[in-house]
Amino acid sequence: MQHFPVFLSVAGRRIVLSGGGEAALAKLRLLLKTEANITVFAADPHADLLELAAQKRLRLVQRHFDYGDAMCARLVYAANEDALEDARVIAIAHDEGALVNVVDDLHNSDFITPAIVDRDPVTVAIGTEGAAPVLARAIKADLEQRLPSNLGLLARMGKAFRAAADILPMGRKRREFWADYYFKSGPRAFETAGKQGVQNALETTLDRHLFTDGRKGHVDLVGAGPGDPELLTLKARKALDAADVVIYDRLVSPEILELARREAIMVNAGKEGFGKSMSQDRINDLIVQHAKDGHHVVRLKSGDPTVFGRLDEEIDAITAAGIEYRIVPGITAASAAVAQIGQSLTKRDRNSSVRLVTGHDMKGFADHDWRALAQTGEVAAIYMGKKAARFVQGRLLMHGADPLTAVTIIENASRADTRVIATTLQDLEPTMTDAGLNGPALTLYGLSPRDAVQAASTLPAKEAAQ
């Protein structure tokens, strides 16, 4: 270890920076987050530096750095973008006993400024001894995603509450209280009621841990998106990280299930149209029972839970049991599919509205206002339409739809084994049957792929890669 990591107290202390260009401004973006008194020496300062000085955010001296300027400085930064001038700053600073950092010059720097994840007062510093700055940036990006943006507020309020929490016995009970607050009750309260909600959560969470075993169940109704794990929202990823129990649908991809925490109980609640499936009542019972047992339950649904996801039935069961819940939306299959073919669901002078319809429901093939769809020129995204393809085709043609209306079938939208099949309404069947689709398929009525996209994506994934 060439550089020893420390957190230096700079509140009310002096930090000096020499330089007036882009490099100086880049360094100041970080330094201005501190409570230090910052002085900048620049003979020809950037306009943004003049503005920062006018705002009293720093002291600007419009001349070159010289002897006496580093006196009592905790740190000195040389950001002149000129090797000779930086060398002069180093010599003066060392003569006056200050530590110097030279921007983009590890060899001549006494200290380095690491990549920082700022959730004040929670700060994470990442350094690689200058060996791999790109790796430090990647780690920083990953931590930025994992640590909630409100963590700083939660930490400040938690710190003020520590004396009250000391009523809990030292050890497991106190640890469980703080884990509950920081990772469950606190973030949820902030989402729904802001700062006041967090204060209330601290008090109610303390009461719960003081007078009970502290466990309180919660349900997250989470959209897993169309299958590509990179399309999973950050909030969904965090829910999977925290879940005690994951109750998932058949169409959720294995790659997304792999993101659940290793200790989580995984429950397959697969439902398949016209085939074997777990009843909705049974799924409701599982959700409620696990939550009553004090678990954090993630009900993981393919796509977006608010689109053909039987969401209301599950919410009714959860609320009837007096359990708290949260809905975490996901990217629905229609959005992923239309993006894959290079189109949009709405377009000026083509269609100002779009219909999301399902090919079948609990009673069988679903009936909709096919006449309106056939005659208005709207675009429709048809979910669960494989077995209903001939029914949909017949209804639209019967109500006067143009047989040559473009239709695109997308199997496994967003996944590695995706397929795109361009056809027309008159050929929807037998095209659908002849394609031998095995994965989930979405039918886009009124849209065809852009040529460049179609040429690449109609091939099976393995062939397209060759």
Side-chain angles (χ1 to χ4, degrees), residues 187-200:
R188 290 176 202 150
F190 183 82
E191 283 187 16
T192 57
K195 187 174 180 179
Q196 185 55 51
V198 174
Q199 184 61 43
N200 293 338

Side-chain angles (χ1 to χ4, degrees), residues 161 165 168 172-182 185 201-202 205-207 209:
F161 198 76
L168 291 167
R172 181 186 64 83
K173 204 153 180 78
R174 196 178 295 183
R175 288 196 305 271
E176 288 180 350
F177 162 74
W178 286 115
D180 189 345
Y181 164 67
Y182 278 115
S185 63
L202 276 165
T205 303
L206 179 60
D207 287 344
H209 283 262

Side-chain angles (χ1 to χ4, degrees), residues 191-265:
E191 283 187 16
T192 57
K195 187 174 180 179
Q196 185 55 51
V198 174
Q199 184 61 43
N200 293 338
L202 276 165
E203 295 167 2
T204 57
T205 303
L206 179 60
D207 287 344
R208 187 168 69 250
H209 283 262
L210 189 60
F211 298 112
T212 70
D213 66 359
R215 296 188 302 169
K216 185 179 180 183
H218 175 86
V219 178
D220 283 334
L221 300 149
V222 177
D228 181 352
E230 292 189 4
L231 294 180
L232 196 68
T233 67
L234 293 178
K235 190 168 286 188
R237 177 66 187 270
K238 290 171 184 174
L240 285 171
D241 284 341
D244 300 311
V245 179
V246 179
I247 302 173
Y248 62 94
D249 282 345
R250 178 180 62 89
L251 297 181
V252 177
S253 69
E255 293 86 355
I256 288 176
L257 294 178
E258 281 293 316
L259 299 176
R261 131 182 131 86
R262 293 298 177 193
E263 297 84 359
I265 299 169

Side-chain angles (χ1 to χ4, degrees), residues 377-401:
E378 289 185 8
V379 169
I382 305 170
Y383 291 69
M384 296 169 280
K386 285 194 294 187
K387 293 182 173 64
R390 192 172 296 281
F391 170 80
V392 171
Q393 179 187 42
R395 284 292 190 272
L396 288 169
L397 290 173
M398 181 176 69
H399 288 295

Side-chain angles (χ1 to χ4, degrees), residues 70-351:
M71 293 295 293
C72 299
R74 280 284 199 184
L75 303 172
V76 173
Y77 283 88
N80 295 285
E81 302 174 73
D82 180 292
L84 290 177
E85 181 61 18
D86 283 341
R88 193 179 69 84
V89 170
I90 293 170
I92 294 172
H94 283 169
D95 285 347
E96 297 182 349
L99 297 173
V100 187
N101 172 273
V102 186
V103 175
D104 293 331
D105 186 350
L106 181 67
H107 177 71
N108 289 311
S109 294
D110 299 318
F111 67 95
I112 59 176
T113 304
I116 291 176
V117 178
D118 182 14
R119 297 289 187 270
D120 184 36
V122 178
T123 306
V124 182
I126 306 125
T128 64
E129 304 276 10
V134 68
L135 180 58
R137 287 194 293 271
I139 295 170
K140 170 182 163 68
D142 185 59
L143 290 174
E144 291 277 9
Q145 294 176 1
R146 290 173 178 271
L147 298 179
S149 58
N150 55 28
L151 184 61
L153 171 67
L154 295 176
R156 289 192 294 275
M157 296 186 71
K159 181 179 180 181
F161 198 76
R162 290 194 72 86
D166 285 348
I167 194 173
L168 291 167
M170 184 72 74
R172 181 186 64 83
K173 204 153 180 78
R174 196 178 295 183
R175 288 196 305 271
E176 288 180 350
F177 162 74
W178 286 115
D180 189 345
Y181 164 67
Y182 278 115
F183 302 114
K184 294 181 180 179
S185 63
R188 290 176 202 150
F190 183 82
E191 283 187 16
T192 57
K195 187 174 180 179
Q196 185 55 51
V198 174
Q199 184 61 43
N200 293 338
L202 276 165
E203 295 167 2
T204 57
T205 303
L206 179 60
D207 287 344
R208 187 168 69 250
H209 283 262
L210 189 60
F211 298 112
T212 70
D213 66 359
R215 296 188 302 169
K216 185 179 180 183
H218 175 86
V219 178
D220 283 334
L221 300 149
V222 177
D228 181 352
E230 292 189 4
L231 294 180
L232 196 68
T233 67
L234 293 178
K235 190 168 286 188
R237 177 66 187 270
K238 290 171 184 174
L240 285 171
D241 284 341
D244 300 311
V245 179
V246 179
I247 302 173
Y248 62 94
D249 282 345
R250 178 180 62 89
L251 297 181
V252 177
S253 69
E255 293 86 355
I256 288 176
L257 294 178
E258 281 293 316
L259 299 176
R261 131 182 131 86
R262 293 298 177 193
E263 297 84 359
I265 299 169
M266 307 296 290
V267 180
N268 185 346
K271 296 174 69 65
E272 185 171 0
F274 300 106
K276 293 181 179 180
S277 63
M278 182 180 290
S279 71
Q280 187 62 52
D281 287 343
R282 176 59 179 151
I283 294 173
N284 295 346
D285 290 343
L286 281 170
I287 295 171
V288 169
Q289 187 56 59
H290 281 294
K292 281 185 172 180
D293 288 342
H295 292 141
H296 179 172
V297 180
V298 166
R299 173 68 173 110
L300 192 61
K301 297 169 175 283
S302 177
D304 184 284
T306 68
V307 179
F308 305 125
R310 307 285 288 276
L311 182 66
D312 294 281
E313 297 171 54
E314 295 178 4
I315 290 176
D316 289 344
I318 293 166
T319 54
I323 297 165
E324 294 181 355
Y325 73 92
R326 175 181 66 162
I327 300 171
V328 180
I331 294 177
T332 190
S335 296
V338 78
Q340 188 171 325
I341 66 170
Q343 293 282 12
S344 59
L345 287 171
T346 60
K347 182 181 178 182
R348 186 166 47 185
D349 299 327
R350 184 192 69 196
N351 66 301

Side-chain angles (χ1 to χ4, degrees), residues 28 32 38-40 49 52-60:
L28 282 168
L32 287 171
I38 298 173
T39 302
V40 177
L49 267 177
L52 289 170
Q55 296 171 3
K56 309 292 186 185
R57 298 188 63 191
L58 53 80
R59 175 172 171 255
L60 177 62

